[in-house]
Amino acid sequence: MIERLENIEKRYNEITDELTNPEVFNDIKKTTTLSKEQASLKENYDAYQEYKKVLENIKEAKELMKDPEMSEFAKEEYSINEEKRKKMEEDFEIMLLPKDPNDGKDVIVEIRGAAGGDEANIFAGDLYRMYTYYAENNGWKVEELNAVEGEAGGYAQVEFKIKGDNVYSKLKYESGSHRVQRIPTTESNGRIQTSTATVLVMPEVDDIDIEIKDSDLRIDTFCASGHGGQGVNTTPSAVRITHIPTNTVVTCQNQRSQIQNKAEAMDVLKSRLYQMELERQEQELGSERKNKIGTGDRAEKIRTYNYPQNRVTDHRIGYSTMQLERVMDGQLDDIINALITEDQARKLRGE
């Protein structure tokens, strides 16, 4: 553990030196990369500096115990700092767990109504609202990219971007099939219906993460539909991009200009292709996928929202809360923190 902390300290100081180098300072791309790396090390670096102070305090307290006049004071100082040391070493076990390189990234979320017809689309809209409120609670920014509204309300499909601090680290557990049990507004007989919507959370991809050849793209433009500003249906501002090798199609029509929509669509395309590559690599790892908190597959049922019982249950960790209304209003912290805690526990057990 100490060796790893020393390596972190060494690398942090190396980056500090590199950032003061004029050649590096004038290279924006390298400066950005180094700054991100240093930021990812800062929490561990700062904690190690504090840990070394505690060790120094323990050493000084031991010396003072030899002085009869300072013995009582020294024993108290020793006891306080020993408790700090033990607690910090426990914290280091979690802090030094392997980090997901995507944790600090913004995300692109896609929600689709699945089984259940109109009610599934309405539920997809409810989930979109839930994540929007959760983002607001965290001070994150939500930007809608593309939406296909359902005939009875909600969305057949909606894609949106969430920007902020460490968004993916919180929302990466949300991918999968979400199930709702309730009496739909479209149900005249008052019967409880089970419907599903799928959620896919993808880390936003930087240019350095994935390269897309222009020759692999087919770009079509058309007039945007749905809600929007004046002229939204009369100018070809909407953009559809097809990645020919994978037949991946992305549409964006929520920005006013064709250039803006193309840029947003490319962001979504890069994230989708990156997600496909991650899934391919994980499938090659085989059984390792089983040890994760969910596989991220759309078909995996991860959570049930039971309205008659006011209950939300996350099936991956057996967690339930009787606060369904609060959850749908974006109060997701308890569920997400429980998922993070279980994920950390499994990693500590070497799973």
Side-chain angles (χ1 to χ4, degrees), residues 26-285:
N26 292 324
D27 185 335
I28 296 175
K29 190 173 182 180
K30 189 166 186 179
T31 298
T32 301
T33 301
L34 287 171
S35 296
K36 284 184 178 179
E37 183 184 355
Q38 189 174 57
S40 71
L41 298 174
K42 191 174 190 310
E43 182 183 6
N44 288 345
Y45 173 84
D46 289 344
Y48 185 45
Q49 303 314 301
E50 183 62 29
Y51 178 73
K52 288 197 294 184
K53 289 179 184 177
V54 169
L55 292 183
E56 187 62 31
N57 291 341
I58 291 172
K59 183 179 177 182
E60 290 177 359
K62 286 181 177 178
E63 286 297 316
L64 285 175
M65 284 182 194
K66 299 174 183 177
D67 184 342
E69 294 183 1
M70 300 294 293
S71 178
E72 287 301 313
F73 170 77
K75 286 179 182 178
E76 186 176 347
E77 282 295 300
Y78 176 83
S79 178
I80 291 171
N81 282 281
E82 262 297 304
E83 285 298 313
K84 285 183 181 180
R85 180 189 65 79
K86 291 177 183 177
K87 177 66 169 60
M88 293 182 82
E89 288 178 358
E90 290 174 2
D91 291 342
F92 282 140
E93 287 188 10
I94 294 175
M95 289 174 65
L96 293 174
L97 286 172
K99 294 274 194 307
D100 185 330
N102 292 318
D103 275 351
K105 293 184 177 180
D106 299 334
V107 302
I108 292 171
V109 184
E110 178 188 293
I111 303 176
R112 293 187 183 187
D118 288 339
E119 169 64 4
N121 293 342
I122 292 170
F123 179 49
D126 294 339
L127 291 176
Y128 179 30
R129 173 179 170 272
M130 178 184 77
Y131 291 124
T132 298
Y133 283 167
Y134 181 65
E136 290 175 357
N137 293 340
N138 282 278
W140 299 337
K141 181 182 177 183
V142 178
E143 179 184 336
E144 188 175 300
L145 301 175
N146 185 52
V148 179
E149 296 180 356
E151 291 183 6
Y155 297 93
Q157 179 177 339
V158 60
E159 292 167 300
F160 53 100
K161 186 181 295 186
I162 303 181
K163 297 181 177 181
D165 294 332
N166 299 310
V167 181
Y168 187 72
S169 70
K170 298 287 186 69
L171 291 181
K172 64 183 177 182
Y173 303 101
E174 295 302 298
S175 290
S177 179
H178 295 240
R179 182 175 70 172
V180 63
Q181 294 174 323
R182 64 186 178 189
I183 300 172
T185 55
T186 55
E187 172 60 61
S188 58
N189 295 322
R191 292 177 296 187
I192 294 173
Q193 179 177 319
T194 298
S195 304
T196 59
T198 61
V199 175
L200 177 63
V201 178
M202 302 173 285
E204 190 173 19
V205 180
D206 299 325
D207 288 335
I208 58 174
D209 290 326
I210 191 165
E211 183 181 352
I212 300 174
K213 297 178 183 177
D214 290 340
S215 58
D216 288 340
L217 301 178
R218 185 175 71 245
I219 301 175
D220 303 304
T221 60
F222 57 97
C223 294
S225 60
H227 54 273
Q230 187 175 6
V232 72
N233 297 313
T234 60
T235 57
S237 60
V239 174
R240 180 187 299 110
I241 299 178
T242 303
H243 185 250
I244 298 168
T246 61
N247 197 32
T248 301
V249 181
V250 173
T251 301
C252 189
Q253 60 179 347
N254 281 50
Q255 302 298 327
R256 283 187 172 274
S257 79
Q258 189 180 114
I259 293 174
Q260 289 174 313
N261 279 322
K262 181 182 176 183
E264 295 285 13
M266 283 300 297
D267 284 346
V268 177
L269 177 61
K270 284 187 287 187
S271 291
R272 282 195 182 173
L273 294 179
Y274 184 66
Q275 185 72 17
M276 289 167 63
E277 177 60 19
L278 287 179
E279 290 173 2
R280 184 193 66 78
Q281 291 175 4
E282 287 177 347
Q283 284 171 357
E284 288 180 357
L285 292 174

Side-chain angles (χ1 to χ4, degrees), residues 286-300:
S287 61
E288 278 198 28
R289 288 173 63 85
K290 299 175 183 178
N291 296 325
K292 299 172 110 180
I293 300 292
T295 63
D297 291 340
R298 283 188 187 277
E300 182 192 18

Side-chain angles (χ1 to χ4, degrees), residues 3-14 41-42 44-45 48 95-96:
E3 184 179 350
R4 290 181 65 188
L5 290 167
E6 287 175 345
N7 288 335
I8 288 170
E9 179 184 51
K10 180 182 177 182
R11 180 57 187 154
Y12 187 93
N13 291 330
E14 285 175 352
L41 298 174
K42 191 174 190 310
N44 288 345
Y45 173 84
Y48 185 45
M95 289 174 65
L96 293 174

